[in-house]
Amino acid sequence: MNIKLGASLLSWITPLWNAEAGKYAIEKTAQAGFDLIEILLPDSMDFDSAEVKKQLRKNDLEAVCSLNLPKEAHIAFYPKTAEKLIKKAIDTVHELETSLLAGVLHGGIGVFSGKPLTENEKDIIAEVWCNVADYARNKDISIAIEPINRYESYVCNTAENVLELIKKTGRDNLFLHLDTFHMNIEESNFYDPIISAGKILKHIHVTESHRGMLGEGTVNWNEFFSALKQINFEGNLVLENFSSSVPGMQEKVSLWQKSPYNAQELAEGSLAFLKKHFKN
């Protein structure tokens, strides 16, 4: 398997990007021994790509980007706004000279219609995905879409939901981005969704059922790693664990319980857990 191990900037800072905090997250990720950092782009796209690129090179660190659509860019309700924002994110990915945009790109987090996703909404989402996929192709960029749990979205909760919409577009630079936290809620197991996705699976958030230390929750890691080996997974495994030791993190991600580990311990311990599994 050709796998790169990374950390989300959320391992070190809150979701609100600023230059100083971003620099800190890049340095901490490199020092902890990761291959790459996932940079969650701000909705405002207020982001100095040239400076961040210098920081990445200085720390010998690769990067991928992600974007979580805000409520005001919920594709089914505001397709033009969503398309414009995703294209701006693609431009930023291109400026950083990297090649992947991941994240919640099917709808705004926390937006609900009160009903299941309709066929008309699927058509609207597929049209926007076609447009942004074509735009990304011209810049040699892939897009990976993350299903999230029912309490945060009604659009795409499972791998199957995303795969259905990708198939509807007919675009081959659209991929699946899984997250073990959401899988633990929505999927029947950790094996079948990975097998079903196969080479369409490009990016994975690895995190525990309680967002804490890997191996100390209810995620079935044996199923998970077995499936990755079965499909000969080629992509990124990125930690998205949260620690209450990061100022402001509890409020931003609803982490109401105090974490038993600080951010450094959580990142290094989880990285060691991943490396141990790949040695077996």
Side-chain angles (χ1 to χ4, degrees):
M1 293 186 290
N2 182 17
I3 292 176
K4 292 183 178 178
L5 302 179
S8 166
L9 62 79
L10 300 179
S11 296
W12 314 104
I13 65 174
T14 60
L16 298 179
W17 171 270
N18 67 68
E20 182 180 356
K23 180 175 181 291
Y24 172 79
I26 288 170
E27 292 172 346
K28 295 294 286 185
T29 300
Q31 291 166 7
F34 291 95
D35 302 316
L36 59 82
I37 184 170
E38 181 187 314
I39 298 173
L40 178 60
L41 296 173
D43 303 340
S44 65
M45 292 301 147
D46 181 12
F47 187 85
D48 188 342
S49 300
E51 180 59 32
V52 171
K53 190 163 60 173
K54 289 179 184 177
Q55 294 168 5
L56 291 167
R57 287 175 177 169
K58 182 179 179 180
N59 288 277
D60 193 24
L61 195 66
E62 296 183 41
V64 296
C65 295
S66 60
L67 173 69
N68 294 335
L69 291 178
K71 293 180 179 180
E72 58 270 21
H74 184 68
I75 297 180
F77 298 167
Y78 314 109
K80 291 183 180 179
T81 300
E83 182 174 327
K84 184 177 179 180
L85 179 58
I86 296 171
K87 286 180 175 177
K88 284 185 177 180
I90 291 167
D91 289 339
T92 301
V93 174
H94 183 65
E95 290 167 3
L96 280 176
E97 296 182 14
T98 185
S99 60
L100 180 68
L101 176 66
V104 183
L105 300 169
H106 50 78
I109 297 179
V111 178
F112 295 91
S113 67
K115 297 180 180 180
L117 189 68
T118 66
E119 291 302 317
N120 181 58
E121 287 177 316
K122 290 180 183 180
D123 290 341
I124 293 171
I125 294 166
E127 181 178 357
V128 170
W129 283 10
C130 284
N131 294 340
V132 298
D134 292 344
Y135 187 79
R137 179 183 297 286
N138 291 330
K139 299 177 185 292
D140 294 320
I141 290 170
S142 298
I143 299 172
I145 299 109
E146 177 186 10
I148 57 176
N149 71 76
R150 70 191 69 185
Y151 305 109
E152 297 183 62
S153 177
Y154 71 101
V155 181
C156 289
N157 304 134
T158 66
E160 182 180 2
N161 294 155
V162 173
L163 294 174
E164 177 192 353
L165 285 173
I166 289 176
K167 185 176 181 180
K168 193 176 181 70
T169 69
R171 300 309 194 266
D172 63 3
N173 63 329
L174 294 179
F175 296 89
L176 175 64
H177 164 185
L178 286 176
D179 182 311
T180 54
F181 176 82
H182 300 294
M183 291 177 75
N184 193 56
I185 297 171
E186 297 295 345
E187 305 286 1
S188 298
N189 57 63
F190 291 87
Y191 185 85
D192 292 333
I194 293 173
I195 299 300
S196 296
K199 294 304 179 183
I200 300 177
L201 179 59
K202 190 87 166 180
H203 192 74
I204 305 175
H205 282 163
V206 282
T207 181
E208 258 303 349
S209 54
H210 47 36
R211 294 288 193 183
M213 186 70 76
L214 299 191
E216 296 186 358
T218 61
V219 170
N220 190 326
W221 294 108
N222 289 330
E223 278 188 351
F224 175 77
F225 286 109
S226 175
L228 292 185
K229 292 174 183 176
Q230 185 68 31
I231 67 168
N232 192 26
F233 176 66
E234 295 183 352
N236 312 311
L237 295 182
V238 174
L239 288 178
E240 198 185 47
N241 293 345
F242 306 142
S243 174
S244 60
S245 70
V246 177
M249 185 63 79
Q250 288 184 285
E251 297 85 349
K252 292 298 180 184
V253 300
S254 300
L255 185 67
W256 305 123
Q257 307 306 311
K258 183 177 179 181
S259 304
Y261 302 100
N262 64 35
Q264 186 81 26
E265 293 167 337
L266 191 57
E268 292 180 350
S270 293
L271 179 59
F273 176 88
L274 290 175
K275 288 183 175 180
K276 180 181 178 182
H277 266 274
F278 285 119
K279 286 181 181 179
N280 295 337

